[in-house]
Amino acid sequence: MKRGIHDRLNRSRLKVVIAAVVAALAAFPLGAAARQPGGKMLCNEGGVLCVPGSLQNSLVNNPLKLDLQVNSPKDVDVDWELREGSGSVLAVGSTEGLKDYPGEDTGYAFHVTDFILKPASSERGTLILTPIRHKANDDDDGQELPQLTIPVRLSTRRSIVTIAEPEDPNRFHDEFYNWANMHVSTDPTPYRTGIPFTPNRIEVMYFDRSVAVGITAAAVINRYQGESPWYLTHWSRVGKTAHVAMDGSGWSGVSNYVSLLNYVIRRSMLSIPGVEDYVYDRTN
């Protein structure tokens, strides 16, 4: 009699456990966010990449800020992609070149700040994080590890960021690079042009005016892309002066490219109310 009761209890408990497992698998399909014990971190399959658990279903702000923990001594970068409910891509980026603690034996962290230069039309979205393991002395694109897919909320509010655009972009590029090849390293005289510039007002996800300097510089970098990615490392406003620092990969002619970016950024900063000067804070 007692054994029969115990058997029924055990079968009932087993059904509860199976139901809980099925519910958990439905909530977190392959590649989705898996919550670590204690609910503090979300990790991909295998635990190479983890993020704070609070990121799930959180409201994404502009700029997007991510704290990424890589639990591997290997060389792993993380690509990210922010999509809205329709599947449209709002932002993409990579941590390549942004490693904070390259000397750690057990892993390292990335602290990412990236501006969203498009508006969202839906209030629900998905953040897709893809860790990529690179091989030493190998020029391939690396090995993609299991993705971490995180549901997030999006703001549909919109703002305008304004950058300076030459009326004749091709003529401006030719004129600037011709000047830079002759003067950048030998002549402190600033570049001047008779080509008219007009304001280009770009609609983006809502941002607070306290980050106007950063998103203006980011919009210029996005508009004038080089042979390999360059990115913001710092921005600030001190009184009436905007400060920006950038970094990125090198190539033949990269100094001329950075000079062009700074010229357009300087002109664009003047569209921000109260900004009267611009300083490029060199990273090295």
Side-chain angles (χ1 to χ4, degrees), residues 1-278:
M1 179 70 176
K2 291 183 179 178
R3 182 175 180 179
I5 293 173
H6 287 308
D7 287 345
R8 287 197 296 274
L9 287 173
N10 287 335
R11 285 196 295 272
S12 297
R13 290 168 181 162
L14 181 59
K15 290 179 180 178
V16 170
V17 171
I18 291 174
V21 170
V22 170
L25 290 174
F28 297 104
L30 184 63
R35 192 176 294 277
Q36 289 291 88
K40 295 181 180 180
M41 299 294 285
L42 297 173
C43 300
N44 71 332
E45 180 185 348
V48 170
L49 172 64
C50 293
V51 298
S54 58
L55 184 59
Q56 185 165 265
N57 293 316
S58 64
L59 179 63
V60 170
N61 293 309
N62 197 8
L64 170 68
K65 293 187 177 182
L66 300 173
D67 292 322
L68 311 175
Q69 178 63 42
V70 175
N71 301 308
S72 171
K74 305 288 187 180
D75 189 4
V76 174
D77 279 305
V78 182
D79 290 351
W80 69 85
E81 185 174 272
L82 179 64
R83 291 179 174 266
E84 56 181 341
S86 65
S88 298
V89 177
L90 297 177
V92 295
S94 174
T95 61
E96 188 172 355
L98 298 179
K99 192 181 298 182
D100 292 348
Y101 307 111
E104 294 291 333
D105 293 332
T106 58
Y108 40 86
F110 295 108
H111 302 293
V112 172
T113 300
D114 193 31
F115 286 100
I116 303 168
L117 299 175
K118 294 181 180 180
S121 58
S122 61
E123 295 181 347
R124 305 297 302 186
T126 304
L127 179 64
I128 303 170
L129 304 174
T130 306
I132 299 175
R133 175 168 287 147
H134 299 287
K135 298 177 182 179
N137 301 320
D138 198 342
D139 293 331
D140 67 15
D141 293 330
Q143 174 193 2
E144 287 194 5
L145 303 178
Q147 291 181 328
L148 181 56
T149 303
I150 305 167
V152 294
R153 294 180 293 125
L154 303 172
S155 171
T156 56
R157 297 175 63 191
R158 302 183 177 203
S159 294
I160 298 293
V161 59
T162 302
I163 65 173
E165 290 270 22
E167 289 188 355
D168 188 339
N170 292 331
R171 180 184 163 202
F172 166 67
H173 277 78
D174 291 344
E175 183 183 281
F176 186 90
Y177 279 113
N178 287 336
W179 170 86
N181 286 330
M182 296 173 58
H183 296 283
V184 155
S185 60
T186 60
D187 189 346
T189 303
Y191 167 74
R192 301 185 188 281
T193 181
I195 300 173
F197 274 67
T198 57
N200 179 9
R201 296 177 176 87
I202 304 169
E203 195 172 43
V204 300
M205 181 181 284
Y206 171 80
F207 62 90
D208 186 85
R209 290 298 163 185
S210 63
V211 301
V213 167
I215 197 168
T216 299
V220 172
I221 295 172
N222 183 67
R223 173 66 179 83
Y224 296 90
Q225 297 183 16
E227 293 183 16
S228 61
W230 269 62
Y231 49 86
L232 290 175
T233 58
H234 168 79
W235 72 89
S236 64
R237 177 174 170 177
V238 181
K240 298 180 180 181
T241 302
H243 291 257
V244 164
M246 300 176 286
D247 201 0
S249 302
W251 67 86
S252 177
V254 67
S255 61
N256 293 351
Y257 167 72
V258 174
S259 295
L260 182 145
L261 282 181
N262 275 304
Y263 178 80
V264 180
I265 289 173
R266 175 182 292 277
R267 294 194 68 142
S268 300
M269 288 298 169
L270 299 180
S271 68
I272 301 174
V275 173
E276 298 179 1
D277 198 7
Y278 166 72

